[in-house]
Amino acid sequence: MSLLERYIFRRTLIFSLAALGALVLIVWIVQALQRVDIVRTSASAAGNMFWIAMMLIPDLAAGVVPFAVVIGAVQALNSLNADSERAVIAASGARNFVVVKPILALGFAGALLVLVISHVVGPIAQGAFYNGLRAVNADAITLFLTPGRFEEVQKKLVLSVGNVRGSTISDLFISDQRDPAVDLNYFAKEAQIAERDGQKYLLLFDGQLHRRAVANGAASVIQFQTYAFDLATLQPSDDGDWIRTSERSTSELFLPDPNDKLYQSKPAAYAKELAQRFSDWLYPLAFAMWALVVAGQPRTNRQGSGPAMALGLAGAITLKALGFVVLALIDTDIRWQAAAYVVPLASIASNAAFIWLNTNLAESRPILAVGGSFQSIGQSLASRFGGRTASRGAA
């Protein structure tokens, strides 16, 4: 890269890293707050929860890297225009490639980062995250319990609670159908998580146990004052059927075990995960090129930078949403797997055409018409509410 190209790349990288850090932090806080109740149990619970939540960061980063690229690229290009540097570059006779090359370099860097996360770091972090959730103990059990909802914490094992206060649970219901010979339903007015002799138990108080034999339908009801439910029974008994596709390595997805229960029941899940891992890296490149389309042209200081950022984010969100829809369709028909690659590749091809033709999309008539409409609506609202404020002040 030339000196000028390195300067543009450095500015773009700084803006992108700032956007990436902010986006990851916001999404991570939202995810962590969904399980904040566990922190109230003990200091060790808070430490465990922090470690489990940290394992979300690689997957969250892979999801927001494309948006960080488009935000950083558009912001850098807007700043070049605001400082009249972009106009000077154009007036000096420099080719557009001087601006295009550093933005594309950022897109390729983002693509490489997503590739490493998708195929190496992501599966390891996802495995650590879900293994932390599966390590059922006095601290982690509340991760599965949301008041007022029926949560399937394990296949054919459903729990529901009225309220959770630390390690104390009120209005507990447990439906246990894991034994093919008998169905068990527990009702308890109160329950408490306790540890005795190194074992974790859920102590049920003042409740009933409803037992029904599957073979003949014979039912019995047992009234109890105290009953101990062993939390160790919540841990998976099989050796791999409970591992999600996001935790499996790419080689395992390519060559799945024919005896794998998950592969036998949901083969489309493997195709979907593979399509996502091998298509996600294309989005940072597509978004970088989209930033060049909407903000790469030189502008005067009188032309605002807001439309370029709005158009950049709108296009990025639309493309990513379309990609999510296509991935969801793979669950119903595996033939949609090819479309997962077509969506970002089509965006890259169309953006490349716009860049090659030196098209100023932000100044096109449809975009200007939409922007003018919003501006008219804003002025109308401002005059209406501003008039009311002025009349009230005069009164």
Side-chain angles (χ1 to χ4, degrees), residues 141-355:
I141 185 62
T142 54
L143 288 171
F144 301 107
L145 304 178
T146 302
R149 293 181 56 184
F150 291 87
E151 303 283 353
E152 187 174 14
V153 299
Q154 194 184 108
K155 187 176 182 181
K156 296 185 178 181
L157 180 65
V158 178
L159 275 71
S160 176
V161 298
N163 191 21
V164 178
R165 301 183 306 276
S167 61
T168 302
I169 303 168
S170 61
D171 299 327
L172 174 67
F173 166 75
I174 302 176
S175 176
D176 187 356
Q177 299 179 353
R178 293 173 296 176
D179 190 340
V182 61
D183 292 342
L184 302 174
N185 292 311
Y186 301 84
F187 302 87
K189 290 185 178 181
E190 190 172 289
Q192 189 169 7
I193 303 170
E195 180 177 355
R196 294 183 180 178
D197 299 329
Q199 298 294 324
K200 309 294 183 179
Y201 295 95
L202 186 61
L203 301 180
L204 312 182
F205 303 101
D206 191 11
Q208 293 180 346
L209 168 59
H210 294 208
R211 183 193 302 267
R212 186 182 70 86
V214 176
N216 54 18
S220 61
V221 178
I222 302 173
Q223 189 85 21
F224 61 81
Q225 293 298 319
T226 304
Y227 187 91
F229 188 91
D230 189 359
L231 291 179
T233 62
L234 296 181
Q235 296 177 345
S237 56
D238 294 326
D239 214 14
D241 59 318
W242 45 274
I243 300 179
R244 304 188 181 203
T245 54
S246 61
E247 304 171 60
R248 300 175 188 264
S249 65
T250 303
S251 59
E252 290 178 318
L253 297 175
F254 265 123
L255 301 172
D257 184 357
N259 298 321
D260 189 340
K261 294 182 180 180
L262 179 59
Y263 179 68
Q264 292 174 349
S265 61
K266 296 180 179 180
Y270 281 68
K272 177 181 178 181
E273 184 67 24
L274 280 173
Q276 183 172 358
R277 292 189 187 184
F278 282 98
S279 63
D280 276 353
W281 72 275
L282 296 171
Y283 285 95
L285 184 58
F287 284 15
M289 298 177 71
W290 176 243
L292 286 167
V293 171
V294 300
Q297 297 291 331
R299 298 190 309 270
T300 64
N301 289 332
R302 294 184 178 182
Q303 295 173 293
S305 60
M309 181 62 76
L311 187 59
L313 288 176
I317 292 173
T318 301
L319 181 64
K320 194 62 175 177
L322 184 59
F324 280 132
V325 171
V326 171
L327 287 174
L329 291 174
I330 298 177
D331 287 328
T332 59
D333 191 343
I334 197 173
R335 289 175 295 183
W336 283 98
Q337 188 176 9
Y341 305 98
V342 171
V343 169
L345 288 175
S347 175
I348 291 174
S350 60
N351 291 335
F354 283 130
I355 296 172

Side-chain angles (χ1 to χ4, degrees), residues 36-70:
V36 73
D37 285 344
I38 190 173
V39 179
R40 298 181 301 182
T41 59
S42 67
S44 62
N48 292 337
M49 182 57 218
F50 180 77
W51 169 252
I52 292 173
M54 287 294 291
M55 294 300 100
L56 289 170
I57 290 181
D59 191 53
L60 296 177
V64 301
V65 161
F67 294 97
V69 168
V70 71

